Amino acid sequence: MFKKTLASTVGAVLLLGMTACGSSDDAGGAAGGSTSGGGDDAITMGFAQVGAESGWRTANTASIQASAEEAGVELQFSDAQQKQANQIQALRSYIQQQVDVIAFSPVVETGWDTVLQEAKRAGIPVILTDRSIDSPDDTLYATFLGSDFVAEGEKAGEWLVEDSAGADQVNVVELQGTTGAAPAIDRKEGFESAIAGADNIEVVASQTGDFTRSGGRQVMEAFLQSQPDIDVVYAHNDDMGLGAIEAIEAAGMVPGEDIKIITVDAVKDGMQALADGKISFIVECNPLLGDQLMELADQVVAGEEVPKRVVVEETTFTQEEAAAALPDRQY
Amino acid sequence: MSAQQLAAEERGPGLVARATGSRLLWPVLALVALLVLNTAVNPGFLSVEVRGDRLYGSLVDILKNGAPVLLVAVGMTLVIATRGIDLSVGAVVAIAGAVACTSVATAPDPSSPSAAVVGMSTALAVCVLLGLWNGFLVSVVGIQPIIATLVLMTAGRGIAMLITDAQIITVNNPTLNAVGAGFVLLLPVPILISVGVLVAVALLTRRTALGLFVESVGINPEASRLAGLRSRTILWTVYVFSALCAGVAGLMIAANVNAADANNAGLWIELDAILAVVIGGTSLAGGRYSLAGTLVGAMVIQTLTTTVYSIGVPPEVSLVFKAVVVILVFLAQSPQARGLLVRRRRRPAAAGSPRGGGRRAPGDGAGSSGGTGSTPVREDAPQEHQEVGRA
Amino acid sequence: MTTPERAAPQRPPTPAAPDRGPDQRAPVLAAQGLSIEFPGVKALQEVDFRLLPGEVHALMGENGAGKSTLIKCLTGVYRPTAGAVLLDGRPVSFSRPAAAQEAGVSTVYQEVNLCPNLTVAENILLGREPRRLGMVDGRAMRARAAEVLEGMGVRADPGSALGSHPIAVQQLVAIARAIVVDARVLILDEPTSSLDADEVEELFRVVRAQRDAGTAILFVSHFLEQVFAVSDRMTVLRNGQLVGEHRTSGTTRLQLVGEMLGRELSASDAAPAARGDDASDREPVLRARGLGRRGGVEPFDLDVHPGEVVGLAGLLGSGRTELVRLLFGADRPDSGTLEVGGRRLRARGPRAAVAAGVAFSSEDRRAEGVVGDLSVRDNMVLALQASRGWARPLPQRAKDELVEEWIRRLDLRPASPDTLVRNLSGGNQQKVLLARWLITRPRVLILDEPTRGIDIGAKTQIADLVLELAAGGTAVVLISAELEEVLRLAHRVVVMKDRRKIAELPGDCSFDDVMGLIARSDDDHAHHELAPAGAERRTA
């Protein structure tokens, strides 16, 4: 532990020295970038992925890798295994290598200021993907490309409001993502704001299932015992929804009929369950943002103006749409 | 109090005497308190009904969901009794699930019983190998257990991800599913397996000399060696057994959701298992162990988790809630803490406790170091308060 | 303030020392009538002791004589049952060791109790670091430490980690620490046990310099040579009693050894042991040839016959414990052969020895003998059960019968099989340990200091048991710190010295024969070998 801290401290010191040296011959970000690119114009991108914790993430990685190849971008990829320390290390090494642009999906929201300052001083633009950071200084990154989790929650809520129009009383239990994670917070917020207007919909219980199937199943089992009358499950991701299906079936009920399930993500297993009628509605959280990312990278490196927030193109799926989309679903 | 008297009257060091020692009193009370709390919030909490081929109710869910922790904790109990610890069980859980599901998913007929049997056997064989590795590091190479098993704890999840290619492997195999979510004789299969293993281990260690050897090696390895015990073999065996237990638990966890999740399966289960063992009154310093205590400990932990879900403790404070309950149990168990409380309450009423002489029940105040009148009789030195760890 | 010289309660019949002329200096630290009792054992009985300023005073005695206990009473670790500790003539009662240190009494223990991962300077000044603006002033600290070390003539970088230095330097650092606190009394508990000859010389140089500066130094050692080399006066303890206080220059080795090993003529029970018929006619049950272990004991030959008690005589650290450990396979020999009952013992280790019928009761009862948190019953059956394997448990009834039988035969108190062994007195623990081995019906029983630290009643019982076993045909190898006991019980006496077997004497040899052997050759072996004696092994 100590050694690691020491190593990163030494790294940081070295880095400061280097950036200090580098700035003297550095006329601007673009000039600095061209040095590593060599003769040709190919962009070098350093990408620090969160990890490989879910099917969604794997699809996300695959999309970025494929798009980079297609766009002729030289991709330096690193997997942080869901540890911020690893990710910071990766970012520092990209800065040292003087890549043209850095993209990453932050593991957590906070604690990025220092390393992003370093990138800024080195004149390397940063693109956030999928997840944002929490910092008062929004000049630390060029743009944030990602899903709008609040919008996802809203879409889920709007579908429910529409679906339950005319019903007397709809009791919803919510399976939250990992406590404190941005998607969990935002999807909860978006959903609540969407159903705020509908008097007949009420969230009767809400607990974290840690985005896992096991968690979803255990929490749902407890809900089934403690809540006498559950009409709808709103799960912050497909996996927890799939766990809830197991719990509902084990209780002798039929998911999709006795209890409706709404989830977010639309990974393959979730789409299958949707097509099978066990899930009622899925809001897509599109991991295929590779093309959009490469396009943004091009613009950023060329010094063009880009919007601070770019939302990934996403849709929603009903059971019928799922059955149609399933055959060519990539992930 | 009655449990204490019972223990005092119980002749012979049987399971019952160990189970009813006063160290178990407090965790049992905690368990009861949690159940009462749940019932107060949700009057139907204790009700159990028959639905189809199974019992249905919160208690059943607690038993079923507590089964993996219980099983891991049984293996951990023996490891801890030898003065060791096995941090790698969580990783082994993940590997077992990964191996089983990957094997089933790639079988010619992924839903056949034979695919499940092959997958589960392969997984358990792998776990035995992992246990052999841990045991080798501890007993032959002589690395401290906490470090030796840390190796696999760190590397194991990576291995599991290699096996699953970092994907969640979903399978649909009724035979495999039965291990995690099936019912036999109205009861969930996982709890039948865990309790079955627990009873088998209790019988095996108490009816044979295995328990004596394990405790002896844990309390005093050198004296045991000089008495002619195969300390090394015993150590090796408990680590293999621990890994095997973790492997079966891994199968349960994967089967329960029909998927192997290398990232999350068994995450932190090693800590829950250690906690269960300690709540059950087995000292981390090794030696005397209580399997009944481990059972109670595992149930306290699972009930606590379920309580958080059912009474609606907000997720933000649920960890604090759990911590408070666990600390209360430990404080109640600690003779020092109890002593402080008692002394404050009735200062004048001192002395009088009969000195030495009669038999002390195994659990009975074994940790009353220097507290009351029953000072251990020693030849020359009031120096080592070994009992501290026994709390 | 001259304390009249007191005669020891049980003075040896050696000529009264003419050298104990009254010393006019007032003692800086003294004990008067100090007694301390632990359950079952009188560890110190009315011990008087005087430590004068500017002297090196040796505290002598065998294992269990009460040396450590006396030191612990002097430094506030133990509170004496009776008697007083006087500092500058005034009674003091240190509430804890730190209080003793504050009063100027510093102790350097056998196992250096410093922090190996801190620097030399930090160790020397721990707790009294020079500060600047509330922060530890590292530079000033190193400077101060360097100054102290230089004053002692020790070369060690104050900034280096203590653990990187040899034990000898660590000892010196411990002494430096004592000097920094301006200790007027410096107690060194077996400081030389793990030093080689040169290191000992270095240590002594520092010790003498401190003495000359006026510090009173109490030096505990069982190495006669060193005691004679460095000390000015000495106090000898045996069995918790004072047996002599002498000026070193007028004391002979013979006299000292005699006092340490004890010669209790009062022992009317010293009637010659009932010797069996000449056991050596029979085939030996145990035969060692050239058995040895580097750093332990030099290769030796030894035969032990059925029905024979072979006693091992020698001072602490003479290699007697190491020798018997090799016989049992507790340590691995690196030369020689061992036969039991005519069959060569190839697999070396306790299991093989037990299987061949050899049993071994270690001198370190608590660390290597009993399993404290197990019951009397479990402890007693442990060895037999181990030889049967885990899968063949002793039937409960057989177990109970065996245990009941041995509790009765050995008169164990309390006579309950369910008592945890750690709650028993030393003597009773020893009995449990004996029972563990006797239950296995061994052919050879090795007893390393079975009577150490136990009360006189249990001692007699164990002695009787040894004779009874021998009469029944068991071969016994016996170590005792009390030569009297060895002579009383043994049919043959093996004399050990400096990790060598130096002689074998018949059982009717005299006290003086043995003592002469041990004391005489001292001059030939001016220095002891490196490595700590097995007798001092402490298992954590």
Side-chain angles (χ1 to χ4, degrees):
Chain A
M1 203 62 191
F2 173 72
K3 259 188 192 156
K4 239 183 202 172
T5 322
L6 188 74
S8 55
T9 314
V10 169
V13 170
L14 284 177
L15 205 69
L16 283 176
M18 286 178 92
T19 46
C21 297
S23 58
S24 60
D25 64 349
D26 180 31
S34 66
T35 54
S36 66
D40 62 73
D41 292 343
I43 294 176
T44 313
M45 173 190 277
F47 188 85
Q49 182 60 285
V50 174
E53 77 278 11
S54 63
W56 190 96
R57 188 66 60 192
T58 318
N60 178 242
T61 301
S63 157
I64 289 164
Q65 285 169 336
S67 302
E69 196 168 328
E70 204 173 295
V73 171
E74 194 185 316
L75 187 70
Q76 311 259 11
F77 185 84
S78 81
D79 181 334
Q81 293 172 333
Q82 296 163 83
K83 290 191 182 71
Q84 182 174 28
N86 291 350
Q87 218 166 21
I88 289 179
Q89 255 175 9
L91 295 187
R92 291 218 159 104
S93 85
Y94 293 148
I95 296 169
Q96 260 170 314
Q97 294 168 33
Q98 303 247 325
V99 295
D100 299 313
V101 57
I102 290 174
F104 79 112
S105 302
V107 174
V108 293
E109 288 196 332
T110 52
W112 302 103
D113 292 34
T114 313
V115 69
L116 292 186
Q117 285 287 0
E118 288 163 16
K120 193 176 168 187
R121 271 198 298 269
I124 302 173
V126 173
I127 303 175
L128 305 179
T129 65
D130 169 40
R131 301 179 180 186
S132 184
I133 59 166
D134 186 7
S135 166
D137 182 2
D138 70 352
T139 65
L140 289 178
Y141 57 91
T143 179
F144 165 39
L145 166 68
S147 311
D148 186 340
F149 300 136
V150 178
E152 287 167 2
E154 283 168 357
K155 287 179 196 165
E158 282 157 10
W159 180 85
L160 179 61
V161 170
E162 198 176 308
D163 185 65
S164 55
D168 289 347
Q169 169 73 19
V170 177
N171 290 332
V172 180
V173 293
E174 183 180 28
L175 300 175
Q176 300 180 28
T178 306
T179 308
I185 297 169
D186 292 351
R187 285 173 190 168
K188 182 174 163 61
E189 185 190 318
F191 184 77
E192 279 168 358
S193 72
I195 62 169
D199 294 337
N200 59 339
I201 302 175
E202 187 194 354
V203 176
V204 292
S206 178
Q207 281 290 340
T208 175
D210 279 321
F211 282 134
T212 66
R213 288 191 197 186
S214 249
R217 172 160 191 168
Q218 278 202 37
V219 174
M220 192 61 206
E221 281 170 350
F223 283 168
L224 286 169
Q225 299 292 347
S226 60
Q227 301 298 331
D229 194 12
I230 300 172
D231 302 305
V232 173
V233 175
Y234 168 48
H236 288 185
N237 76 348
D238 287 349
D239 282 328
M240 290 192 294
L242 293 168
I245 290 174
E246 307 267 356
I248 294 168
E249 285 177 341
M253 286 184 269
V254 182
E257 287 178 23
D258 298 329
I259 295 177
K260 288 182 179 171
I261 301 171
I262 307 169
T263 69
V264 183
D265 262 5
V267 296
K268 198 158 198 166
D269 286 343
M271 290 293 275
Q272 184 65 54
L274 182 60
D276 294 347
K278 292 178 176 175
I279 295 180
S280 303
F281 186 71
I282 297 185
V283 178
E284 186 190 40
C285 180
N286 190 356
L288 307 183
L289 43 71
D291 290 345
Q292 271 177 297
L293 175 62
M294 296 311 148
E295 203 174 303
L296 276 174
D298 251 350
Q299 294 170 344
V300 165
V301 171
E304 289 172 28
E305 200 59 28
V306 291
K308 211 64 196 175
R309 178 77 171 91
V310 180
V311 176
V312 181
E313 296 141 12
E314 308 187 312
T315 175
T316 59
F317 294 97
T318 61
Q319 292 176 347
E320 298 73 34
E321 288 164 346
L326 202 54
D328 1 288
R329 195 73 180 159
Q330 295 176 33
Y331 57 95
Chain B
M1 205 59 205
S2 67
Q4 229 162 318
Q5 285 163 354
L6 219 131
E9 276 159 26
E10 182 76 35
R11 282 281 142 198
L15 193 68
V16 186
R18 286 168 195 281
T20 46
S22 71
R23 270 180 298 166
L24 261 189
L25 185 65
W26 297 100
V28 167
L29 281 182
L31 191 55
V32 170
L34 284 173
L35 294 178
V36 168
L37 175 66
N38 272 298
T39 315
V41 175
N42 173 14
F45 186 80
L46 291 178
S47 70
V48 173
E49 57 182 290
V50 179
R51 280 199 191 171
D53 62 342
R54 61 190 61 179
L55 287 173
Y56 183 76
S58 293
L59 293 181
V60 182
D61 287 342
I62 289 174
L63 287 176
K64 190 198 75 183
N65 290 329
V69 170
L70 173 58
L71 191 53
V72 172
V74 169
M76 188 72 78
T77 306
L78 294 187
V79 172
I80 286 179
T82 64
R83 218 187 256 187
I85 202 151
D86 187 351
L87 294 182
S88 70
V89 287
V92 174
V93 162
I95 293 175
V99 171
C101 289
T102 312
S103 162
V104 168
T106 54
D109 179 6
S111 60
S112 67
S114 64
V117 170
V118 170
M120 291 193 281
S121 319
T122 316
L124 294 184
V126 169
C127 292
V128 168
L129 285 180
L130 296 174
L132 284 170
W133 166 253
N134 278 338
F136 171 76
L137 290 185
V138 172
S139 69
V140 180
V141 186
I143 302 178
Q144 286 178 345
I146 196 166
I147 302 300
T149 56
L150 192 64
V151 173
L152 191 53
M153 179 194 185
T154 323
R157 226 161 258 286
I159 295 172
M161 284 199 253
L162 277 180
I163 295 169
T164 61
D165 214 6
Q167 302 287 329
I168 295 180
I169 306 287
T170 305
V171 293
N172 197 354
N173 185 305
T175 316
L176 180 62
N177 181 256
V179 173
F183 283 75
V184 168
L185 301 173
L186 299 176
L187 289 169
V189 173
I191 195 65
L192 291 177
I193 294 177
S194 292
V195 171
V197 170
L198 181 117
V199 171
V201 170
L203 287 179
L204 190 67
T205 56
R206 296 303 181 195
R207 288 288 162 81
T208 72
L210 209 54
L212 173 64
F213 289 1
V214 165
E215 289 187 342
S216 181
V217 168
I219 296 166
N220 193 335
E222 182 59 11
S224 305
R225 184 180 80 93
L226 292 181
L229 288 184
R230 289 182 212 267
S231 308
R232 182 178 289 185
T233 316
I234 291 167
L235 280 182
W236 212 327
T237 310
V238 298
Y239 282 93
V240 171
F241 179 69
S242 172
L244 198 57
C245 283
V248 176
L251 295 181
M252 289 176 186
I253 290 173
N256 192 34
V257 291
N258 288 319
D261 183 348
N263 269 298
N264 295 302
L267 198 60
W268 309 129
I269 201 172
E270 59 275 356
L271 299 185
D272 278 347
I274 293 168
L275 194 59
V277 173
V278 174
I279 288 179
T282 300
S283 160
L284 284 182
R288 315 284 298 245
Y289 63 90
S290 163
L291 288 168
T294 298
L295 172 65
V296 175
M299 287 306 125
V300 167
I301 290 172
Q302 187 57 43
T303 309
L304 197 50
T305 306
T306 305
T307 305
V308 166
Y309 297 152
S310 349
I311 69 171
V313 178
E316 293 79 12
V317 298
S318 68
L319 291 178
V320 177
F321 174 79
K322 285 186 181 180
V324 167
V325 174
V326 169
I327 286 172
L328 284 179
V329 173
F330 281 141
L331 282 181
Q333 264 178 321
S334 149
Q336 280 92 343
R338 268 208 320 270
L340 276 178
L341 210 70
V342 170
R343 217 171 301 155
R344 178 165 297 178
R345 232 187 294 154
R346 40 160 209 203
R347 174 146 281 174
S353 88
R355 189 189 167 88
R359 164 177 188 267
R360 293 171 57 173
D364 172 67
S368 60
S369 61
T372 56
S374 54
T375 325
V377 186
R378 290 221 170 97
E379 81 216 54
D380 63 20
Q383 49 195 13
E384 30 174 4
H385 290 275
Q386 316 176 301
E387 304 91 336
V388 170
R390 297 193 65 83
Chain C
M1 270 294 280
T2 315
T3 318
E5 294 289 353
R6 279 178 56 120
Q10 284 168 322
R11 281 273 303 283
T14 41
D19 50 86
R20 297 189 298 160
D23 199 310
Q24 297 307 321
R25 285 171 294 175
V28 53
L29 187 66
Q32 276 181 359
L34 209 60
S35 296
I36 185 164
E37 214 170 302
F38 298 116
V41 152
K42 287 178 178 153
L44 287 179
Q45 294 176 56
E46 303 201 7
V47 171
D48 289 350
F49 170 79
R50 301 180 313 139
L51 180 63
L52 307 177
E55 73 165 348
V56 176
H57 191 116
L59 186 57
M60 304 292 295
E62 279 284 88
N63 259 342
K67 293 171 301 198
S68 298
T69 313
L70 176 58
I71 290 175
K72 286 177 177 165
C73 286
L74 291 175
T75 54
V77 177
Y78 293 162
R79 197 152 301 190
T81 322
V85 175
L86 307 176
L87 186 65
D88 294 325
R90 278 189 300 276
V92 285
S93 169
F94 300 122
S95 52
R96 63 212 152 82
Q101 194 170 45
E102 280 156 26
V105 180
S106 267
T107 312
V108 177
Y109 287 101
Q110 189 169 355
E111 278 96 25
V112 186
N113 48 348
L114 299 176
C115 312
N117 44 0
L118 294 184
T119 66
V120 169
E122 284 164 340
N123 268 295
I124 294 178
L125 292 158
L126 195 67
R128 27 177 64 230
E129 299 89 348
R131 281 172 191 278
R132 230 177 59 182
L133 306 171
M135 306 285 280
V136 173
D137 184 347
R139 189 174 303 171
M141 186 156 85
R142 282 191 294 279
R144 173 84 181 101
E147 188 185 319
V148 174
L149 289 175
E150 199 176 296
M152 291 169 59
V154 177
R155 267 171 297 142
D157 174 10
S160 57
L162 181 71
S164 64
H165 294 285
I167 296 288
V169 173
Q170 298 191 22
Q171 287 278 8
L172 293 171
V173 167
I175 293 173
R177 176 167 168 72
I179 292 172
V180 161
V181 301
D182 292 324
R184 297 156 59 217
V185 176
L186 180 58
I187 300 176
L188 305 175
D189 188 1
E190 298 273 8
T192 57
S193 54
S194 45
L195 307 189
D196 69 23
D198 291 342
E199 292 168 336
V200 169
E201 216 23 74
E202 172 83 0
L203 178 77
F204 283 179
R205 195 178 51 67
V206 172
V207 165
R208 288 192 192 101
Q210 282 305 303
R211 172 194 63 194
D212 296 342
T215 311
I217 294 165
L218 180 57
F219 176 77
V220 182
S221 174
H222 57 264
F223 294 114
L224 294 186
E225 269 323 299
Q226 296 175 5
V227 167
F228 278 102
V230 77
S231 75
D232 302 308
R233 295 198 313 134
M234 55 178 71
T235 292
V236 186
L237 297 178
R238 192 177 69 244
N239 282 337
Q241 294 175 329
L242 176 69
V243 290
E245 182 180 345
H246 311 284
R247 183 160 294 188
T248 308
S249 55
T251 310
T252 64
R253 286 168 177 71
L254 203 63
Q255 189 185 348
L256 182 60
V257 172
E259 288 192 354
M260 284 167 63
L261 293 184
R263 175 172 221 187
E264 300 172 23
L265 288 190
S266 61
S268 54
D269 54 335
R275 315 264 158 173
D277 48 316
D278 195 356
S280 51
D281 288 348
R282 304 183 209 162
E283 272 298 297
V285 60
L286 189 80
R287 184 200 293 268
R289 287 293 175 269
L291 205 61
R293 177 182 164 90
R294 253 176 319 240
V297 62
E298 288 178 29
F300 63 89
D301 296 345
L302 182 68
D303 287 341
V304 184
H305 303 89
E308 185 185 35
V309 178
V310 174
L312 285 166
L315 295 178
L316 192 62
S318 59
R320 51 191 199 197
T321 292
E322 288 79 354
L323 186 148
V324 295
R325 284 179 71 88
L326 290 186
L327 294 182
F328 183 64
D331 292 331
R332 213 166 273 267
D334 43 34
S335 70
T337 61
L338 184 65
E339 281 175 25
V340 180
R343 300 246 306 262
R344 173 100 181 260
L345 208 57
R346 286 183 196 282
R348 299 248 164 90
R351 278 189 70 79
V354 175
V358 185
F360 170 63
S361 152
S362 163
E363 41 135 22
D364 196 341
R365 204 156 37 227
R366 207 173 313 143
E368 299 180 352
V370 295
V371 183
D373 277 349
L374 288 183
S375 66
V376 167
R377 176 193 289 112
D378 286 346
N379 266 284
M380 281 189 175
V381 299
L382 193 59
L384 179 60
Q385 187 62 66
S387 64
R388 290 169 64 100
W390 66 269
R392 292 200 307 137
L394 281 165
Q396 192 63 39
R397 185 183 298 173
K399 213 189 307 192
D400 285 342
E401 279 169 8
L402 272 175
V403 171
E404 293 292 345
E405 178 196 337
W406 283 101
I407 287 180
R408 195 166 21 84
R409 277 182 68 177
L410 297 178
D411 188 27
L412 195 75
R413 311 254 171 105
S416 153
D418 293 311
T419 313
L420 295 190
V421 166
R422 73 179 151 93
N423 292 341
L424 297 181
S425 71
N428 283 302
Q429 290 189 355
Q430 185 63 51
K431 288 179 186 173
V432 170
L433 202 47
L434 277 171
R436 174 193 293 171
W437 289 117
L438 295 177
I439 282 176
T440 66
R441 304 191 176 284
R443 289 195 280 183
V444 182
L445 178 62
I446 302 169
L447 301 174
D448 192 355
E449 299 237 36
T451 58
R452 169 159 135 213
I454 70 180
D455 60 82
I456 200 78
K459 251 181 202 176
T460 316
Q461 286 173 329
I462 287 173
D464 289 347
L465 183 71
V466 166
L467 292 177
E468 186 191 325
L469 287 169
T474 310
V476 180
V477 179
L478 174 76
I479 295 179
S480 172
E482 288 169 60
L483 187 50
E484 279 293 347
E485 195 172 55
V486 172
L487 293 176
R488 200 160 64 233
L489 297 175
H491 301 130
R492 205 142 47 86
V493 177
V494 171
V495 184
M496 301 292 297
K497 181 172 170 58
D498 291 335
R499 304 180 183 283
R500 278 194 306 140
K501 173 183 167 189
I502 57 168
E504 239 177 71
L505 301 175
D508 53 5
C509 64
S510 73
F511 193 93
D512 293 309
D513 294 340
V514 177
M515 225 170 55
L517 277 172
I518 293 174
R520 187 197 60 203
S521 50
D522 246 304
D523 305 325
D524 311 333
H525 302 272
H527 297 298
H528 68 282
E529 304 269 317
L530 191 107
E536 283 144 343
R537 191 177 316 101
R538 299 270 189 282
T539 312

